[in-house]
Amino acid sequence: MLSYLLVKSAGAGIGVFLGSLIGLSIRKRGGKTEGLLKGSVFLTSLLAGLLGLSVMMLVTYMGM
């Protein structure tokens, strides 16, 4: 069941990761680095993507 939820929710996690990666990259080029984990755009985007994935998995689980 966990693999089903993962596959069903992967699109949302990837979308959040890519969106935050692009947005935070633009923001960092502008000189605004506050709010980034250890100053890393990739690490912050990865965490946001995992959070989006887990929330979507929870929503999908509740709808079953």
Side-chain angles (χ1 to χ4, degrees):
M1 177 144 109
L2 185 61
S3 62
Y4 171 76
L5 290 173
L6 184 67
V7 169
K8 200 78 163 133
S9 307
I14 292 170
V16 170
F17 169 73
L18 290 176
S20 62
L21 186 68
I22 292 168
L24 290 173
S25 295
I26 293 170
R27 183 172 175 232
K28 188 171 181 180
R29 285 187 191 169
K32 298 179 182 177
T33 59
E34 60 272 352
L36 296 177
L37 296 173
K38 297 184 181 181
S40 173
V41 170
F42 184 77
L43 183 62
T44 308
S45 297
L46 185 63
L47 183 65
L50 288 175
L51 182 64
L53 175 71
S54 60
V55 168
M56 191 63 190
M57 286 175 71
L58 180 67
V59 168
T60 303
Y61 178 73
M62 295 301 225
M64 294 175 92

